[in-house]
Amino acid sequence: MSAISEELRTEQFVLSLRGVLPYVYEHAWQSVLDGTPLTRTALRPGPDGRLRRTLRPDARFRLQIVDWRATRAEVQDARLAERLAGESAAGLPLDRAPLMCATLIRRSDRNWTFAWRYARELMDRRAGLRVLEEVADAYAVLLRGGTPRRAATPPAGTTATGATTAGATTAGATTAGATTAGATRAVAPSGARPVGAVGSGPPGTGAAGSLPLEAVAR
C-alpha cells in the first residue's frame, strides 16, 4: 500500500441486480461519469505533504465483468466476502485515476452483484448514492433507445471540483424517477450497514417496472 493510500478511506457499495444487461449498465456508468472530474481526478502529495488533486485527461470509468455461475451459491458468498475484504485492505492506487473500482458479478442467469468502491476524498456517501440513482436513470433511458442527459451540477458532497482542466465538465446526479419498489436484499459481508434502496429500470425487471437495487455501505 502506498503512503498516499494509507491516508485515505474508501466508501464501498454492494448492489443486488436482477436481469441487468451488463454492457448497457457499463454504458450507463460511462455516460454519467466519463469526461468529468469524478473519473479524471487523481491525488499526489504536495510540497507541504498535503494531498493535491490533479486531472488525468485520458482516464475513464471501467467496469470489470465476471461470471460465477459455475460456482455454488454458498461458495459465491464466501468468495464475495473475501473479495470485498481484500479490496478494502489493499487500498486504491490514488496517484492514478479514476479513484474507484467497479465489478459486476453474474451469480445466476438473472441475478447479479455489483460492487463499487471509491475514495472518500472524491465524494461522500450521499453523493455516491445520488450517482447510483443517476446511473439507474441512465440505464433506463438507454434501454428505451434514448441518450442519457448529463446534468450540469455535481452531486452534493463531491470534492473533486477543485481540479480543473480545459473542456472538463462536472458530473451530475438527480433523484428523479428513483424508486424502492421491488428492492431485493443486497449480498454483503456480515456487519455491512444498509443505507437504502435506489434506482429505476426497464419494464419486467421488478415491481412497477423498476430495476431493483439495494445499496449496502461498508
Side-chain angles (χ1 to χ4, degrees), residues 1-214:
M1 185 181 296
S2 69
I4 296 178
S5 64
E6 288 177 349
E7 300 179 26
L8 297 172
R9 298 173 298 171
T10 60
E11 197 73 58
Q12 189 173 63
F13 291 96
V14 177
L15 311 180
S16 285
L17 307 178
R18 286 200 304 266
V20 69
L21 300 177
Y23 296 105
V24 179
Y25 193 58
E26 181 178 28
H27 189 180
W29 274 92
Q30 290 171 340
S31 72
V32 171
L33 294 180
D34 275 356
T36 72
L38 287 177
T39 53
R40 299 164 65 187
T41 299
L43 298 173
R44 59 180 178 80
D48 58 358
R50 301 182 63 182
L51 294 174
R52 309 279 182 178
R53 294 184 181 88
T54 184
L55 291 185
R56 309 297 190 197
D58 298 330
R60 295 190 64 201
F61 174 85
R62 289 285 187 268
L63 177 64
Q64 182 184 14
I65 302 171
V66 296
D67 192 336
W68 287 359
R69 285 178 294 175
T71 305
R72 297 193 312 274
E74 61 272 19
V75 178
Q76 290 182 11
D77 291 344
R79 287 178 64 183
L80 178 62
E82 182 179 355
R83 184 187 189 109
L84 296 179
E87 287 183 353
S88 296
L92 289 168
L94 296 173
D95 55 346
R96 298 200 299 270
L99 298 178
M100 62 179 69
C101 61
T103 305
L104 186 61
I105 304 169
R106 190 162 197 174
R107 309 289 295 273
S108 68
D109 287 346
R110 284 192 54 79
N111 295 323
W112 300 74
T113 294
F114 174 70
W116 178 43
R117 190 164 59 93
Y118 59 85
R120 291 186 183 179
E121 274 66 18
L122 190 64
M123 57 185 147
D124 63 19
R125 179 179 299 177
R126 180 172 296 181
L129 284 169
R130 293 186 64 193
V131 168
L132 291 173
E133 293 174 352
E134 180 75 0
V135 170
D137 289 341
Y139 178 79
V141 170
L142 287 168
L143 287 180
R144 295 195 298 267
T147 300
R149 179 180 62 86
R150 181 172 293 162
T153 57
T158 56
T159 57
T161 53
T164 58
T165 189
T169 57
T170 305
T174 62
T175 58
T179 177
T180 59
T184 60
R185 175 174 293 181
V187 179
S190 60
R193 187 163 68 87
V195 294
V198 298
S200 62
T205 57
S210 66
L211 175 65
L213 303 177
E214 184 169 332

